[in-house]
Amino acid sequence: MSSSISPIRIGIVGVGKIVRDQHLPALAKDRDYQLIAAASRHGKVDGIVNFPDIETMLGVVPELDAVSLCMPPQFRYEAARKALEAGKHVFLEKPPGATVSEVEDLKALAAKQGVSLFASWHSRYAPAVEAARIFLASTNIKSAAIVWKEDVRRWHPNQDWIWQPGGFGVFDPGINALSIATYILPAMYITSAVLDFPVNRDAPIAAQVAFRAANGSDVTMDLDWLQTGPQSWDILADTDAGQMVLSGGGSKLAVDGNIVHEEPEAEYPMLYRRFAEIVHAETSDVDLAPLQHVADAFMLGKRNVVEAFFD
Ligand code: NAP
């Protein structure tokens, strides 16, 4: 962005783990933005004005150009509508909403209001994802497997919302895998799914999903939230140019065991660069393919009840 363009004055909403871990450091280093306000019931950001909710922030700080909505997905739609109605550009954390239709509604509202809506998918900006996409585009894919296995107690301790309806359970990390898969693999659709729900929870702790890709190849997805020890965030593909392994959540690409791409992670700085780009281009970026697959898995999936889960 040219230095003659004023920074985007942004407010951040839902000050919790991801805001502290990623949004604040990314915004602090980006001269395209000026973080001027925050709204959260409990969380606060030092050095700027803080409000208990988004309505108050929008009323008291009308000079805001944009807001980033970082609360859990079940509580994002009303806030997004208020921001769009107030003429603000909106950055949505992933997943962009709790249902497909609410995000479609936001997309239409953003277009009507002439502002930008960004459904961010941070994993798409992992360093080796683009290299994987380019590799796969030049090969024939025979089959692919998504293996996303992590320890929920380590990554989501005491996050009650994640186990509630609309919190997605193991599909909260699983949708990150789907955001990469829908970018690097041919179009695909779900043919079957099995979802394991702990008896005391309203969201799954594990899932097995089968897809058929447009070229006829099979894609499987194995999600598990009880993996201790080494964590797996991998996408594997058997191709006529060798076996591709995209590991570490998209950070490392190997073909036939040889590392062909590895770089330090910069997902959130790149997400904010993309948001500035769409704001200046007066457009939106809302790809609902990952969310649609999660909706389809819940719609088509057989449900197993498994033992209770306690943090
Ligand atoms: P979190 O810390 O549990 O929640 C973020 C903040 O949202 C909370 O601190 C809370 O702030 C607010 N909030 C919680 N419940 C709310 C409610 N009922 N109504 C309004 N606000 C509420 O969660 P997080 O880990 O930051 O995740 C937030 C989003 O970022 C999720 O969609 C997640 O998928 C995504 N994300 C998370 C990670 C990660 O590593 N954690 C990574 C990438 C993306 P107040 O109590 O102050 O209102």
Side-chain angles (χ1 to χ4, degrees):
M1 198 167 101
S2 125
S3 56
S4 61
I5 300 175
S6 313
I8 296 167
R9 290 161 298 188
I10 194 163
I12 204 142
V13 186
V15 177
K17 184 171 188 316
I18 197 59
V19 166
R20 294 199 179 89
D21 288 357
Q22 297 289 350
H23 289 256
L24 297 180
L27 285 167
K29 288 198 203 114
D30 193 330
R31 289 175 24 202
D32 288 348
Y33 292 90
Q34 196 182 355
L35 177 63
I36 60 172
S40 209
R41 298 163 313 168
H42 309 95
K44 300 258 179 293
V45 178
D46 291 342
I48 56 172
V49 281
N50 288 271
F51 300 93
D53 54 61
I54 187 168
E55 295 94 317
T56 316
M57 181 177 81
L58 292 171
V60 179
V61 194
E63 63 272 30
L64 279 168
D65 301 307
V67 295
S68 264
L69 302 183
C70 304
M71 67 283 265
Q74 302 100 316
F75 317 109
R76 213 174 286 141
Y77 172 74
E78 293 299 334
R81 267 206 86 91
K82 285 184 181 118
L84 293 170
E85 279 164 357
K88 311 303 175 192
H89 307 292
V90 172
F91 176 128
L92 300 169
E93 246 302 347
K94 57 65 49 172
T99 68
V100 176
S101 49
E102 72 185 39
V103 189
E104 293 284 12
D105 180 61
L106 296 176
K107 194 172 155 185
L109 181 58
K112 180 168 161 246
Q113 293 290 91
V115 293
S116 299
L117 180 67
F118 183 33
S120 72
W121 297 112
H122 67 87
S123 292
R124 277 192 184 165
Y125 294 82
V129 168
E130 193 59 34
R133 189 187 67 77
I134 291 167
F135 171 77
L136 290 176
S138 65
T139 69
N140 287 316
I141 302 168
K142 297 174 196 159
S143 64
I146 301 164
V147 182
W148 231 251
K149 296 184 174 187
E150 62 175 46
D151 181 355
V152 64
R153 292 186 174 91
R154 178 166 160 200
W155 302 105
H156 301 281
N158 303 309
Q159 284 190 327
D160 287 340
W161 62 265
I162 219 162
W163 292 105
Q164 289 163 0
F168 293 29
V170 76
F171 284 93
D172 176 82
I175 204 168
N176 297 335
L178 286 168
S179 73
I180 299 176
T182 50
Y183 184 62
I184 68 174
L185 295 173
M188 55 190 194
Y189 58 92
I190 294 182
T191 53
S192 68
V194 179
L195 278 52
D196 291 347
F197 282 69
V199 64
N200 61 338
R201 303 285 179 165
D202 291 319
I205 193 163
Q208 302 273 339
V209 185
F211 301 83
R212 176 76 34 79
N215 70 352
S217 61
D218 289 323
V219 179
T220 58
M221 180 163 81
D222 188 358
L223 305 180
D224 185 1
W225 240 354
L226 290 176
Q227 168 113 336
T228 52
Q231 309 283 284
S232 311
W233 297 291
D234 305 330
I235 298 180
L236 302 89
D238 273 322
T239 79
D240 58 4
Q243 199 204 35
M244 183 209 83
V245 179
L246 179 63
S247 58
S251 62
K252 196 198 300 185
L253 178 68
V255 176
D256 287 337
N258 302 311
I259 295 173
V260 293
H261 198 99
E262 190 174 19
E263 264 180 60
E265 186 267 311
E267 294 175 10
Y268 278 77
M270 288 175 76
L271 281 182
Y272 275 102
R273 198 174 313 156
R274 174 68 182 149
F275 186 45
E277 193 177 275
I278 67 169
V279 166
H280 293 300
E282 299 181 6
T283 185
S284 284
D285 179 350
V286 183
D287 176 12
L288 289 177
L291 187 65
Q292 184 66 62
H293 282 312
V294 174
D296 289 355
F298 276 80
M299 199 152 37
L300 190 67
K302 173 178 161 46
R303 292 175 185 226
N304 283 334
V305 177
V306 298
E307 68 181 34
F309 173 83
F310 299 99
D311 270 306

